């Protein structure tokens, strides 16, 4: 009888790759955080390197962030450092593209960037979370200018030819309506004692009050056209509101 191989557990890398393939980058990031790979560091300052033997030479492969910072700190500590970079530019995965730039993609296609002056895109990393203390330290040290990253603009337009009759809608309208109708539904369910199993008498008043404010409901706990909801989703005629 052939010997059956016991199933082998996937390595952490294989598991993360599968999660990324099946569920996308948000799930992958979540999984990496759970494994402790995407966490903030306990950075308290740059490494205090010292004691380089005179004339010791170090070769760093790659001029991405890690290569360049290693070289910087090693050089400060007295080593004789050289970086070898495979590409014709430094920065590794960090790159900003502006009008007039040319970039060759991994698949071989060449893109000519035709942005108007002042516009750019960072096709690699573009966000620096507040807990990347190490990176922020070096940005300050080198005087790298940072820009605020606007994650949510309530006034932005959402447009899809397959939704809302093809008309563009403001994010604030959609979000307010979703919250408002959900809050109204929950308040109704509470008032009709449909949630008595899970909501105690004490909690009922708190949740109703919270729903009223979260969903911009009127005094009758309804999400309807009027001043309360318009202050949240915007006025039809903005000049009147102003
Ligand atoms: C699409 C994308 C979005 C991202 N978004 C974010 C984000 O928003 N925020 C964030 O914090 N991080 C983000 N990251 C992750 C971030 O880009 C990386 O963690 C970081 O750039 C890694 O830096 P590194 O120096 O370790 O590697 P790399 O930047 O990959 O640098 C390695 C360098 O080594 C060179 N090299 C490789 N092998 C050799 C060799 N044998 N000889 C010579 N040179 C060699 C390469 O050409 C490259 O220049 C993103 C990454 C990608 C791809």
């Amino acid at each position: 009888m052939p010997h059956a191989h016991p199933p082998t557990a996937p390595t952490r890398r294989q598991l993360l790759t599968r999660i990324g393939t099946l569920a996308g980058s948000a799930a992958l990031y979540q999984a990496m955080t759970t494994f402790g790979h995407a966490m903030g560091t306990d950075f308290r300052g740059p490494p205090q390197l010292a004691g380089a033997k005179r004339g010791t030479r170090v070769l760093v492969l790659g001029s991405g962030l890690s290569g360049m910072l290693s070289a910087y700190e090693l050089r400060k500590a007295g080593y004789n450092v050289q970086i070898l970079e495979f590409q014709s530019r430094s920065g590794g995965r960090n790159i900003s593209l502006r009008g007039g730039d040319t970039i060759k993609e991994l698949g071989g296609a060449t893109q000519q960037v035709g942005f108007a002056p002042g516009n750019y895109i960072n096709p690699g990393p573009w966000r620096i979370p507040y807990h990347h203390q190490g990176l922020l330290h070096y940005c300050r040290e080198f005087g790298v200018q940072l820009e605020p990253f606007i994650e949510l603009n309530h006034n932005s337009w959402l447009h899809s030819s397959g939704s809302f009759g093809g008309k563009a809608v403001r994010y604030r309208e959609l979000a307010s309506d979703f919250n408002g109708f959900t809050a109204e539904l929950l308040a109704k369910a509470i008032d009709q004692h449909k949630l008595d199993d899970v909501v105690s008498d004490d909690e009922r008043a708190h949740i109703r009050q919270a729903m009223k404010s979260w969903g911009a409901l009127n005094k009758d706990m309804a999400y309807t056209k009027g001043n309360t909801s318009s202050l949240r989703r915007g006025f039809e005629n903005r000049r009147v509101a102003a």
Side-chain angles (χ1 to χ4, degrees):
M1 201 174 142
H3 184 74
H5 290 288
T8 47
T11 63
R12 189 168 287 186
R13 178 181 282 260
Q14 285 167 335
L15 183 62
L16 287 170
T17 305
R18 276 182 216 164
I19 292 172
T21 310
L22 290 173
S25 59
L28 174 62
Y29 190 80
Q30 186 62 45
M32 287 177 73
T33 305
T34 310
F35 281 133
H37 289 325
M39 307 278 283
T41 62
D42 56 356
F43 181 84
R44 296 276 178 274
Q48 299 301 318
L49 305 178
K53 249 204 217 150
R54 251 180 97 79
T56 309
R57 297 179 62 197
V58 177
L59 189 62
V60 173
L61 292 185
S63 66
L65 274 188
S66 48
M68 289 200 286
L69 284 176
S70 308
Y72 172 72
E73 290 296 345
L74 287 165
R75 201 169 273 177
K76 271 202 313 190
Y79 292 95
N80 182 348
V81 188
Q82 200 181 357
I83 303 182
L84 282 188
E85 170 55 52
F86 157 78
Q87 300 186 72
S88 57
R89 60 171 184 85
S90 56
R93 275 170 271 185
N94 292 269
I95 177 171
S96 297
L97 295 175
R98 296 184 167 77
D101 287 344
T102 301
I103 181 157
K104 192 157 185 213
E105 295 181 347
L106 287 177
T110 299
Q111 304 286 350
Q112 307 287 349
V113 186
F115 293 156
N119 291 342
Y120 70 92
I121 188 174
N122 295 332
W126 52 322
R127 293 162 299 178
I128 305 174
Y130 68 91
H131 53 77
H132 283 192
Q133 296 100 337
L135 186 77
L136 289 166
H137 163 86
Y138 286 105
C139 287
R140 280 192 290 273
E141 182 154 330
F142 298 132
V144 176
Q145 197 186 347
L146 302 179
E147 295 173 29
F149 186 91
I150 312 297
E151 295 234 34
L152 177 59
N153 172 2
H154 289 268
N155 223 30
S156 55
W157 291 106
L158 300 180
H159 180 250
S160 158
S161 47
S163 308
F164 321 120
K167 261 179 57 187
V169 294
R170 298 272 186 197
Y171 175 84
R172 65 162 67 245
E173 295 174 10
L174 195 70
S176 306
D177 291 354
F178 183 83
N179 293 359
F181 289 125
T182 306
E184 183 180 313
L185 195 67
L186 192 58
K188 246 184 219 157
I190 288 175
D191 288 348
Q192 293 173 7
H193 298 278
K194 300 266 171 53
L195 296 176
D196 284 0
D197 292 355
V198 284
V199 179
S200 70
D201 286 348
D202 290 350
E203 289 165 341
R204 189 169 296 133
H206 287 300
I207 298 178
R208 276 183 105 256
Q209 187 51 41
M211 288 304 104
K212 189 163 183 283
S213 126
W214 179 64
L217 307 185
N218 67 13
K219 62 178 176 31
D220 301 321
M221 301 299 282
Y223 182 69
T224 52
K225 211 168 181 173
N227 203 45
T228 313
S229 57
S230 295
L231 282 168
R232 191 68 56 82
R233 85 192 296 283
F235 289 82
E236 257 170 30
N237 185 340
R238 290 163 182 230
R239 269 179 301 181
V240 173

